[in-house]
């Protein structure tokens, strides 16, 4: 199966004459998430101005960005970790309107600016389908006992002497299985912080280990929304993107593990009490039939990924197989979710898990919170945020503002190392200024696409660097939604755990080093073989 599409030429589209797709120009082949969408233009959508639009100035481009930064900062101030659940979307759409007005000042028509917004949104339609499929898969995998079995087997590797390293590994396993660093840290992380306190261990180091593992899992999981967004915004194959990230992610993770192991082996761990862990395991076994069989959907997903089956059908098939496993091995759980008796109630429960996720009845609050998630509906807020961000980005591109900023930024860049460093610093700056990791992925991803091609670099280098910096550094900034969430949830100040979030610190440094030494920078000529 191969959902192949030609990639449009990566340049700002400032007029209808630029077009949306350049024929006979091969692009990266891959999953449905990477398919470029050709929007049909009508005379009512793109009416040519009587005169050519004026070229925007750097001030024109910086004004809407300044307003956006101010509004997003105010949003984080008012709403904290909840700012991504509506307030940021309002700020983005308002700023899209500001961009449209400034574009019209320079000679663009409203229809032209609106077309730019629609084009930007159209680029992520594939990602939206992927995100909805991910929600369905998470719900069905929890119902099938797949996620609970992963957690059950992963938690059992915990021991006092290896507490920090084990905490990192366990959170990595859970994060990889559910694709969410927030959920991992907000449930299992809270329990691990409590156990650390009982053992007399440093809670800041524990928080750093939890965050390091959770972000490793989030970054490398095909279920993660940020991973899908980074691949989509750069028009790259999802699984090729994950594979290319291994070059920076695995060395950073193993280096962090070694340091955590050294700290743990040299620390006074005292007498270990596994009460909380035992309660967790008992609660999981009480609600699900924990077994190796429950891991079959994971094995199938990995096999389909290895066979390079496109992401969307892979995820949908994985979700349906999860439902089948649930109906066979977890029929009582499926019937309970369906609210009845018999086969039809079980089918209703599996259907419910696909669209609205699993609802745990465990008396263990940590388990109930950990497992009550998933479903397509759980992805709607992320979809809302992506649409709002891409409307803003599309308007900025159509008005020519992004190109002005890129030209000014890249005028200082002469080498591949400088380009990668600029990308990392831009992503970090967006995390600090905009306060949201999605903005730190989407906006730099749009800005630097052509620059990487001009340097003869494959887009996979850009998508990897976006994750090495945009995804990873968000948690190191107190006023970023990720930093605010982790600090509030784990009860540890951001600046206290930041020095121990080793994985998050090492990844961007490796990305910069790889750029300067030109190590594992895939050339553009490798596009035909990178499949």
């Amino acid at each position: 199966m191969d959902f192949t599409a030609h990639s449009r030429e990566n340049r700002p589209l400032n007029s209808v004459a630029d077009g949306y797709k350049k024929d006979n120009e091969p692009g990266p082949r891959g999953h449905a998430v990477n398919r470029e969408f050709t929007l049909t233009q009508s005379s009512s959508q793109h009416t040519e101005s009587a005169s050519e639009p004026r070229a925007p100035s750097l001030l024109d481009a910086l004004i809407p960005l300044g307003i956006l930064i101010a509004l997003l900062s105010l949003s984080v101030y008012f709403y904290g970790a909840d700012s991504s659940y509506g307030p940021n979307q309002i700020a983005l759409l308002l700023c899209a309107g500001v961009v449209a007005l400034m574009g019209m000042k320079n000679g663009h028509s409203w229809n032209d600016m609106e077309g730019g917004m629609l084009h930007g949104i159209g680029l992520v339609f594939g990602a939206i389908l992927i995100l909805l499929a991910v929600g369905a898969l998470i719900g069905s995998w929890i119902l099938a006992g797949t996620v609970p079995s992963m957690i059950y087997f992963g938690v059992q590797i915990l021991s006092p002497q290896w507490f920090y390293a084990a905490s990192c590994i366990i959170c990595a396993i859970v994060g990889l299985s559910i694709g969410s660093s927030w959920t991992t840290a907000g449930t299992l992380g809270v329990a691990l912080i409590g156990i650390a306190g009982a053992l007399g261990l440093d809670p800041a180091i524990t928080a750093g280990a939890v965050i390091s593992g959770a972000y490793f899992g989030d970054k490398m999981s095909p279920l993660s929304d940020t991973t899908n967004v980074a691949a989509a915004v750069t028009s790259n194959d999802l699984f090729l993107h994950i594979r290319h990230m291994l070059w920076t992610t695995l060395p950073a993770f193993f280096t962090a593990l070694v340091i955590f192991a050294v700290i743990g082996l040299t620390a006074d761990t005292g007498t270990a009490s596994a009460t909380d862990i035992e309660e967790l395991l008992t609660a999981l076994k009480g609600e699900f039939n924990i077994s190796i069989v429950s891991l079959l959907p994971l094995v199938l997903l990995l096999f389909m990924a290895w066979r390079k089956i496109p992401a969307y059908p892979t995820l949908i098939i994985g979700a349906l197989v999860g439902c089948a496993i649930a109906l066979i091995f977890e029929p009582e759980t499926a019937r309970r979710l369906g609210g009845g008796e018999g086969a039809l109630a079980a089918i209703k429960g599996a259907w419910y898990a696909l669209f609205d996720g699993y609802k745990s009845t465990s008396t263990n609050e940590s388990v109930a919170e950990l497992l009550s998630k998933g479903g397509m509906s759980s992805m709607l807020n992320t979809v809302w945020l992506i649409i709002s961000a891409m409307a803003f980005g599309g308007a900025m591109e159509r008005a020519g503002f992004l190109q002005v900023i890129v030209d000014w930024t890249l005028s200082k860049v002469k080498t591949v190392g400088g380009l990668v460093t600029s990308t990392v610093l831009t992503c970090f700056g967006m995390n600090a200024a905009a306060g949201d990791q999605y903005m730190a992925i989407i906006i730099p991803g749009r800005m630097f696409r052509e620059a990487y091609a001009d340097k003869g670099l494959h887009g996979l280098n850009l998508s990897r660097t976006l994750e090495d910096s945009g995804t990873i550094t968000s948690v190191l900034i107190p006023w970023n939604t990720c930093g605010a969430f982790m600090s509030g949830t784990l009860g540890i100040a951001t600046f206290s755990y930041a020095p121990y979030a080793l994985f998050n610190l090492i990844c961007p440094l490796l990305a910069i080093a790889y750029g300067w030494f030109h190590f594992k920078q895939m050339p553009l000529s490798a596009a035909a073989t990178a499949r």
Side-chain angles (χ1 to χ4, degrees):
M1 301 175 65
D2 187 8
F3 293 157
T4 303
H6 289 293
S7 173
R8 72 176 175 88
E9 188 176 20
N10 296 327
R11 66 178 189 277
L13 303 175
N14 298 318
S15 68
V16 182
D18 284 329
Y20 286 91
K21 181 178 178 182
K22 182 177 180 181
D23 294 330
N24 302 319
E25 181 178 347
R29 298 180 60 182
H31 302 314
V33 67
N34 302 320
R35 179 181 295 182
E36 295 287 356
F37 291 82
T38 301
L39 301 181
T40 303
Q41 276 70 49
S42 64
S43 58
S44 63
Q45 288 178 311
H46 289 285
T47 303
E48 291 288 354
S49 302
S51 59
E52 187 71 19
R54 294 186 299 276
S57 66
L58 180 61
L59 181 61
D60 287 339
L62 293 179
I63 286 176
L65 277 182
I67 295 174
L68 178 64
I69 290 170
L71 288 178
L72 290 175
S73 299
L74 190 62
S75 172
V76 173
Y77 175 77
F78 282 150
Y79 301 101
D82 293 329
S83 62
S84 289
Y85 292 86
N88 285 352
Q89 287 88 327
I90 298 299
L92 286 162
L93 291 176
L94 286 175
C95 287
V98 171
V99 174
L101 291 175
M102 297 194 66
M104 294 168 66
K105 173 186 74 71
N106 289 337
H108 291 273
S109 68
W110 164 252
N111 286 332
D112 190 37
M113 295 305 302
E114 183 182 47
M117 297 182 203
L118 293 176
H119 176 66
I121 296 170
L123 292 176
V124 293
F125 279 162
I128 290 173
L129 291 176
I130 292 292
L131 290 170
L132 295 176
V134 164
L137 183 140
I138 291 173
S140 70
W141 277 23
I142 295 176
L143 180 63
T146 303
V147 171
S149 293
M150 290 181 190
I151 298 171
Y152 182 88
F153 294 130
V155 164
Q156 293 186 81
I157 69 174
L158 189 66
S159 68
Q161 291 75 22
W162 297 88
F163 183 82
Y164 296 133
S167 296
C168 185
I169 293 173
I170 292 168
C171 289
I173 293 172
V174 176
L176 189 63
S177 66
I178 64 179
S180 172
S181 57
W182 283 25
T183 301
T184 302
T187 52
L188 189 57
V190 172
L192 290 170
I193 290 290
I195 296 172
L199 296 174
L201 299 174
D202 191 327
I205 300 177
T206 304
V210 167
I211 290 169
S212 292
Y215 270 81
F216 168 84
D218 188 311
K219 183 184 179 189
M220 297 305 297
S221 176
L223 310 181
S224 168
D225 49 3
T226 53
T227 304
N228 279 280
V229 168
V233 78
T234 55
S235 298
N236 284 311
D237 175 277
L238 173 61
F239 292 109
L240 287 179
H241 164 62
I242 293 174
R243 185 189 306 172
H244 197 56
M245 284 197 296
L246 291 173
W247 290 108
T248 53
T249 305
L250 286 183
F253 184 67
F254 286 128
T255 301
L257 279 181
V258 170
I259 297 175
F260 284 131
V262 171
I263 295 174
L265 290 173
T266 56
D268 182 11
T269 58
T271 302
S273 173
T275 302
D276 291 334
I277 298 298
E278 287 300 324
E279 289 180 358
L280 176 68
L281 297 178
T282 301
L284 289 172
K285 291 185 70 175
E287 192 167 354
F288 297 95
N289 296 315
I290 304 297
S291 69
I292 298 296
V293 176
S294 300
L295 301 180
L296 285 177
L298 174 63
V299 174
L300 177 63
L301 183 76
L302 295 176
F303 174 77
M304 288 190 290
W306 177 68
R307 294 294 300 171
K308 302 179 184 177
I309 296 176
Y312 183 68
T314 294
L315 294 170
I316 289 295
I317 292 171
L320 295 178
V321 170
C323 289
I325 294 293
L327 294 175
I328 297 172
F329 297 100
E330 299 285 352
E332 293 183 6
T333 306
R335 286 194 292 268
R336 177 188 59 75
L337 194 61
E341 297 294 334
L344 288 179
I347 294 174
K348 180 181 177 182
W351 197 334
Y352 184 93
L354 290 173
F355 75 81
D356 208 29
Y358 182 79
K359 302 296 183 289
S360 175
T361 58
S362 175
T363 56
N364 185 304
E365 292 184 3
S366 295
V367 171
E369 187 176 359
L370 180 64
L371 299 181
S372 296
K373 66 191 316 296
M376 289 189 178
S377 62
S378 68
M379 296 295 177
L380 294 181
N381 183 75
T382 302
V383 170
W384 181 18
L385 180 62
I386 291 173
I387 289 175
S388 302
M390 295 308 290
F392 173 75
M396 287 283 288
E397 183 182 50
R398 180 55 59 85
F401 293 171
L402 282 183
Q403 190 62 48
V404 170
I405 296 172
V406 169
D407 289 344
W408 180 82
T409 302
L410 295 180
S411 65
K412 316 296 182 182
V413 175
K414 305 300 181 184
T415 64
V416 171
L419 179 60
V420 174
T421 301
S422 296
T423 307
V424 171
L425 294 178
T426 300
C427 290
F428 182 80
M430 286 301 301
N431 267 321
D436 188 90
Q437 70 177 172
Y438 294 102
M439 296 301 301
I441 295 172
I442 293 172
I443 290 181
R446 298 284 287 162
M447 287 173 57
F448 284 94
R449 286 178 63 173
E450 186 174 334
Y452 274 71
D454 289 343
K455 292 290 184 184
L457 297 175
H458 195 282
L460 288 170
N461 302 296
L462 173 58
S463 63
R464 182 181 68 188
T465 306
L466 293 175
E467 292 253 62
D468 287 338
S469 51
T471 299
I472 295 301
T473 64
S474 58
V475 75
L476 304 176
I477 301 168
W479 55 89
N480 188 283
T481 53
C482 295
F485 174 84
M486 292 295 174
S487 177
T489 300
L490 300 178
I492 310 296
T494 304
F495 288 141
S496 295
Y497 69 65
Y500 304 106
L502 301 176
F503 174 73
N504 305 69
L505 294 171
I506 296 170
C507 250
L509 296 178
L510 276 181
I512 292 173
Y514 280 22
W516 284 107
F517 287 99
H518 215 284
F519 180 70
K520 294 303 176 182
Q521 302 297 318
M522 183 182 293
L524 192 60
S525 58
T529 58
R531 299 174 185 172

